[in-house]
Amino acid sequence: MNIAIVGTGYVGLVSGTCFAEMGVNVTCVDVNEEKISSLKNGQIPIYEPGLDEMVLRNHRESRLNFTTDLSSCLDNVEIVFSAVGTPPDEDGSADLQYVLAVARTFGQHIKKYTILVTKSTVPVGTAKKVKAAIQEELNKRGVNIPFDVASNPEFLKEGAAIKDFMSPDRVVVGVESEKAKELMTKLYRPFLLNNFRVIFTDIPSAEMIKYAANSMLATRISFMNDIANLCELVGADVNMVRKGIGADTRIGNKFLYPGCGYGGSCFPKDVKALMKTAEKYGYEMRVLKAVEAVNERQKSLLFRKLERYYGGALKGKTIALWGLAFKPETDDMRESTSLVVIDLLLNAGCKIRVYDPVAMDECHRRIGSVVEYAADMYDAVLNADALLLLTEWKQFRLPSWGVVKKSMNRSLVIDGRNIYDAQEMRLLGLIYHCIGG
């Protein structure tokens, strides 16, 4: 089976590579000539564990190819996936210019029945705009070529994207015709050996499912952060509360971990976009407004704890940060708590030393040399007046606290992900603060 995927960002490259791994012939398309040239030379533009090896192997075996010209491969493919970016517009709504550009190119060049499948996260109603853009281009050509549009939202977690794609909880496909359903079933048939579900829906429902899923997860995170902050005030242990409510099968224990705020490319953007969609229909998403407000406040919580400890006298203090990426196993810093914390610390006159296993280059690209980049996690805490843990990388879980304590001016540890045991930390002579404690 032959398919094309437009967009070689996170979703497009992971999806294309995983389809190729299952025997599909995939052509990945991107207008960025430098990126395509790098991919042809085996240079992977994103960090995702295991991805580089899969890309190299499938490209070597000619199942995964790269081009800048969608029209050059349209004659040979049955399905085109659109996985281009949908960045938030100035008002928080999703910017669809790239999605519609793909639709127009598709309409300008198809010569036979082909499906255009939107894999990007797009607001409900986008498929109608895509379909209209394609039809407009066909009308300009004066041709009557049959086509279908479909929606196949992705549910990939950065750091575990390959596993999520190869063994997903579910695959959601929104279609309008039996022919499209049959072709999409054929494409996903190899994955059925893993006994997962393909859920076929109408297209608006498929578009809504992705936003609803991410918004629900964001809601659970903000809810637990609110509970953690209240626990701290009333003297309750948020970890005991989390275990107690998570034992209820109606609630479950996932996404109930308090922390210093969510970030990344999906949750913040999707929550905003869903609220904007509601506004267009005259409806207010009150719960999501609260979710967003709680999350924004949570990102400054570690700074406020630090400020409170030093009585506001932070000027000239050296602060160490462990973790820059919004989560482990990625170098993605989009909407990361670290950016908020760094900005607050700089405004307070602090000297900042940072360390992250993979996101150092990305941090330098974003903010330059306003912080000092440490050689390793222990170098980061040298002569520090406080250590703030922002990302729960595995290598931060069992550090040599003796080394840390000797290296710091003041052995103050503020744990933004609650990965350390409070009693153990205090027995070691460390001044320890966490979320909800």
Side-chain angles (χ1 to χ4, degrees), residues 258-307:
C260 52
Y262 62 76
S265 61
C266 293
F267 288 6
K269 175 173 70 71
D270 292 354
V271 167
K272 284 183 174 68
L274 190 53
M275 288 193 292
K276 292 306 296 186
T277 296
E279 282 182 24
K280 289 177 182 177
Y281 287 85
Y283 188 77
E284 182 182 14
M285 303 290 282
R286 296 182 182 181
V287 171
L288 289 187
K289 283 191 174 181
V291 166
E292 186 178 49
V294 168
N295 191 60
E296 289 308 304
R297 184 183 65 196
Q298 201 73 7
K299 288 182 178 182
S300 64
L301 181 62
L302 297 197
F303 174 80
R304 285 184 273 120
K305 285 177 177 286
L306 177 69
E307 191 177 41

Side-chain angles (χ1 to χ4, degrees), residues 164-393:
D164 284 347
F165 196 99
M166 303 300 275
S167 301
D169 296 324
R170 78 289 197 203
V171 171
V172 173
V173 183
V175 293
E176 291 182 325
S177 72
E178 279 301 314
K179 189 171 184 178
K181 182 177 179 180
E182 289 171 8
L183 203 51
M184 293 300 289
T185 301
K186 178 183 175 183
L187 174 65
Y188 277 111
R189 189 168 290 127
F191 296 86
L192 293 173
L193 298 174
N194 294 329
N195 296 316
F196 70 83
R197 295 179 298 160
V198 178
I199 303 172
F200 282 99
T201 70
D202 58 85
I203 292 178
S205 296
E207 292 172 333
M208 178 61 82
I209 285 168
K210 175 61 187 286
Y211 280 107
N214 278 352
S215 295
M216 172 58 79
L217 296 175
T219 300
R220 286 172 69 94
I221 293 170
S222 281
F223 173 80
M224 256 341 271
N225 284 336
D226 240 3
I227 292 294
N229 296 338
L230 183 57
C231 282
E232 189 170 336
L233 294 173
V234 303
D237 185 331
V238 69
N239 289 315
M240 291 182 180
V241 173
R242 175 182 59 78
K243 290 175 184 176
I245 65 174
D248 187 326
T249 55
R250 295 169 301 175
I251 298 172
N253 57 15
K254 293 185 178 179
F255 279 80
L256 288 183
Y257 291 86
C260 52
Y262 62 76
S265 61
C266 293
F267 288 6
K269 175 173 70 71
D270 292 354
V271 167
K272 284 183 174 68
L274 190 53
M275 288 193 292
K276 292 306 296 186
T277 296
E279 282 182 24
K280 289 177 182 177
Y281 287 85
Y283 188 77
E284 182 182 14
M285 303 290 282
R286 296 182 182 181
V287 171
L288 289 187
K289 283 191 174 181
V291 166
E292 186 178 49
V294 168
N295 191 60
E296 289 308 304
R297 184 183 65 196
Q298 201 73 7
K299 288 182 178 182
S300 64
L301 181 62
L302 297 197
F303 174 80
R304 285 184 273 120
K305 285 177 177 286
L306 177 69
E307 191 177 41
R308 188 161 57 245
Y309 178 83
Y310 278 109
L314 292 179
K315 188 173 183 178
K317 294 286 191 294
T318 298
I319 310 300
L321 303 185
W322 279 359
L324 295 165
F326 85 94
K327 62 179 283 188
E329 303 300 333
T330 181
D331 63 350
D332 195 344
M333 289 182 63
R334 284 174 287 185
E335 302 282 349
S336 69
T337 297
S338 65
L339 293 173
V340 174
V341 172
I342 287 170
D343 191 50
L344 290 168
L345 291 172
L346 288 173
N347 288 335
C350 296
K351 177 184 177 182
I352 308 168
R353 304 187 77 200
V354 304
Y355 178 72
D356 187 287
V358 302
M360 302 280 266
D361 289 342
E362 175 63 12
C363 187
H364 191 273
R365 186 187 71 80
R366 282 178 171 271
I367 65 173
S369 300
V370 295
V371 300
E372 183 179 342
Y373 296 91
D376 56 42
M377 59 192 284
Y378 297 108
D379 181 39
V381 299
L382 192 62
N383 299 320
D385 297 294
L387 165 63
L388 276 56
L389 179 121
L390 302 178
T391 314
E392 63 275 34
W393 285 94

Side-chain angles (χ1 to χ4, degrees), residues 2-4 25 27 73-80 112-114:
N2 300 320
I3 69 170
N25 294 316
T27 301
C73 61
L74 276 176
D75 290 354
N76 300 316
V77 302
E78 299 165 87
I79 301 171
V80 175
K112 60 178 178 55
Y113 174 82
T114 314

